[in-house]
Amino acid sequence: QVQLRESGGGLVQAGGSLRHSCTPSGLTFDNYTMGWYRQAPGKDREWVAAIISGGKTYYTYYADSVKGRFTLSRDNARNTVYLQMNSLKPEDTAVYYCAISQVTDWVPGDGMDYWGKGTLVTVSS
């Protein structure tokens, strides 16, 4: 059974930083796409970033709203992917979710197969 363990939410002042991590378990496939999404109160879920694993290499993609501020990285030894969130703004306040798709030619707008439970990020002004 695929599970995604997330951590790293919290409260931070505008301009601050947080790091969100996602550790998958129970995977039966080596290559996958891991995506981050967020949902702010009263708004639709929004895609934030994605990392596509292809053997020893990986590729990252970011929504325009976070490009230059958020960075994805992967620690293979810990089997964990990190979303480093810098220069946070109040409009970044949301529940952040990581998710996995078995599709490696994934593009934003495609679905995900497995979802984490989400962690709350609150950015105060």
Side-chain angles (χ1 to χ4, degrees):
Q1 180 180 0
V2 175
Q3 293 186 327
L4 301 176
R5 187 175 77 246
E6 301 174 78
S7 65
L11 172 64
V12 65
Q13 288 188 330
S17 299
L18 284 173
R19 189 176 73 166
H20 189 236
S21 68
C22 184
T23 304
S25 62
L27 296 177
T28 59
F29 41 92
D30 293 328
N31 299 320
Y32 53 85
T33 297
M34 180 177 285
W36 262 260
Y37 295 77
R38 65 187 181 187
Q39 187 164 21
K43 294 188 176 181
D44 292 335
R45 187 169 60 197
E46 172 190 24
W47 171 72
V48 173
I51 182 167
I52 301 178
S53 301
K56 295 182 179 181
T57 63
Y58 59 89
Y59 307 89
T60 56
Y61 303 90
Y62 303 93
D64 289 343
S65 58
V66 305
K67 198 173 294 182
R69 300 188 297 123
F70 290 13
T71 304
L72 284 166
S73 63
R74 193 173 86 173
D75 184 336
N76 289 333
R78 298 179 183 272
N79 191 35
T80 296
V81 178
Y82 300 97
L83 178 68
Q84 179 67 40
M85 302 180 286
N86 297 331
S87 302
L88 284 162
K89 306 175 182 179
E91 51 264 43
D92 293 319
T93 295
V95 176
Y96 283 71
Y97 301 88
C98 70
I100 279 182
S101 168
Q102 297 182 61
V103 172
T104 54
D105 57 349
W106 181 93
V107 295
D110 287 351
M112 288 285 172
D113 299 311
Y114 307 98
W115 290 85
K117 294 182 179 180
T119 59
L120 177 62
V121 171
T122 304
V123 184
S124 62
S125 57

